Structures are given as structure tokens and as C-alpha cells.
Amino acid sequence: MRLDKFISQQLGTSRAISGREIRANRVTVDDEVVRDASFKLQPEHRVTFDGNPLFQHIGPRYFMLNKPQGYVCSTEDPDHPTVLYFLDEPSAHKLHAAGRLDIDTTGLVLMTDDGKWSHRITSPRHQCEKTYYVTLNAPVADDTAERFAAGIQLHNEKDLTKPAQLEVVTPTEVRLTISEGRYHQVKRMFAAVGNHVVGLHRERIGSIILDSDLAEGEYRQLTEQEIASVGAP
């Protein structure tokens, strides 16, 4: 994060005023005066304003991100860029995805540093619903909705999937709501009925719907209502 943006957030001022305060020698980073407003802060930096420490991380934090293709939801990956690339936040490395998406899947990702909150999303016990917009290689069969509602036997799985809701939008586009998070579950469910997923986009987690104003790669803080909608442990 740029130093002027951090000072602006901490002091509640505009970026222009923050830049003026920085150039007035009022800001130090690791006990050294920094006059460059574009200085790139790292999570380990210690920042003061007029000798008073400013803390880079005040948690817990909750964000929604519109994930593009080509990024993984891990915090570190040796082969692929991670969604942390998009988060211009202090100590972004401390955030994690509450419910990951595959590298080629787009849409809603919730990022937080609140482990208990994310557990309520990912734990099978809570059966948090997720809705996906699915593009298929072939027209959806007439009996697919009925089969999904009854549960599907996935390859190399002992138990049937929990009942899922299928809404047909066009012959090759559907909206699927599931309450589990098995490995590649949506793709495997359609494979089990002889179809193939060519596009997958998550629209909803629980009561939290992806903000239509967010372009791919953009994010925003969750509202208090969205945070509370996840419920108690």
C-alpha cells in the first residue's frame, strides 16, 4: 500500500492532505523520516505520525472480491498468482479465502482474517449455500434438476451429494445452488450426468451476493449486515 493512502485511512483525511503531511516531515517509517508519498509500505514496517505509532492492521477484516480467471485462492503459490494481488490492504498476507475457487472459476470470494467467521462458511456442519452460474458444453438434460435434487453419486465418493437446486436459464446455462464444498463438486456433478462444465462463476455465498458494481479484480469491504448474515457459531 502507498504511504499516502495509508496515512489518509489512518487520519481520515484526503490523499492530497496526507501527501502534504508526509512532505512536512511528520511521518516516519522504521524511525526514518519518509517524504515520498508513493513509498510502498510493507506489513512489517513501523509507521509513526508526529511520533505517534500508526498500526497497519486493525482486525478483524472482511472483504468480497470478484475473482478473475488465472488466480488461485491460496495465500502463496509457487506457480500461479494469488488473489492477494488485488488486495491493497495492510498485512494482506494475513487474509485468507473463506471458501476457495478453482483457478479457472470466477466470481465471489470472501477474504477475511477471522478464522471463526470463515469456519462458519466452510464447515460442512453449517451447510452454507453457494450459488454458481454454470455454462455447459451440451444442453442440460430434462431430468438433471430432478437427479441433482435427489443427490448424485460422484466418482470415488461413498456418499451421495446433498440435495442441490438447479435453475435452467438457457439450454446450456444454469444456476446451481449447493450446500457442500466437495473437491471440484460442481464440475464433477455435471460430469456424473454426462455433461461438461465450460464456465463457472460463483454468485452467492449464504446471503452475501456478489456486488454487480465490482469489475473483475475489484473488491470492497463487507457491510455489517453482510458480516452478521453468516450467523453465530
Side-chain angles (χ1 to χ4, degrees), residues 1-5 22 34-41:
M1 176 183 286
R2 284 174 54 112
L3 181 59
D4 57 352
K5 181 176 181 180
I22 292 168
V34 175
R35 301 185 72 250
D36 179 8
S38 66
F39 181 90
K40 189 71 172 179
L41 280 180

Side-chain angles (χ1 to χ4, degrees), residues 45-202:
H45 282 146
R46 302 185 311 277
V47 185
T48 69
F49 179 78
D50 285 346
N52 298 309
L54 301 177
F55 298 99
Q56 291 200 49
H57 173 211
I58 301 175
R61 298 172 293 172
Y62 310 88
F63 304 99
M64 71 161 61
L65 167 71
N66 187 357
K67 175 190 171 299
Q69 286 189 348
Y71 292 81
V72 296
C73 290
S74 305
T75 53
E76 293 183 7
D77 190 285
D79 302 315
H80 305 286
T82 81
V83 293
L84 294 183
Y85 169 83
F86 300 105
L87 298 174
D88 188 13
E89 299 294 330
S91 301
H93 67 285
K94 295 183 179 180
L95 297 166
H96 64 271
R100 297 183 177 186
L101 291 178
D102 300 334
I103 189 170
D104 58 347
T105 302
T106 63
L108 177 61
V109 174
L110 301 179
M111 303 294 297
T112 184
D113 49 13
D114 184 341
K116 292 182 178 179
W117 187 83
S118 64
H119 180 72
R120 296 198 290 272
I121 293 172
T122 59
S123 171
R125 181 168 66 90
H126 294 284
Q127 299 185 29
C128 180
E129 287 189 345
K130 291 97 175 172
T131 298
Y132 297 83
Y133 197 90
V134 188
T135 304
L136 299 167
N137 182 61
V140 62
D142 292 339
D143 65 345
T144 302
E146 182 179 354
R147 294 180 65 182
F148 280 8
I152 292 291
Q153 182 68 59
L154 300 179
H155 181 63
N156 288 335
E157 295 270 359
K158 178 181 178 181
D159 299 321
L160 296 178
T161 59
K162 293 185 182 301
Q165 300 174 358
L166 183 73
E167 172 195 350
V168 178
V169 181
T170 74
T172 57
E173 295 175 309
V174 300
R175 187 170 277 113
L176 179 66
T177 297
I178 61 176
S179 59
E180 303 175 277
R182 302 193 196 190
Y183 181 71
H184 290 174
Q185 180 172 342
V186 175
K187 296 175 182 177
R188 294 168 68 204
M189 287 177 70
F190 281 100
V193 295
N195 212 325
H196 176 68
V197 173
V198 296
L200 190 57
H201 179 81
R202 186 159 64 192

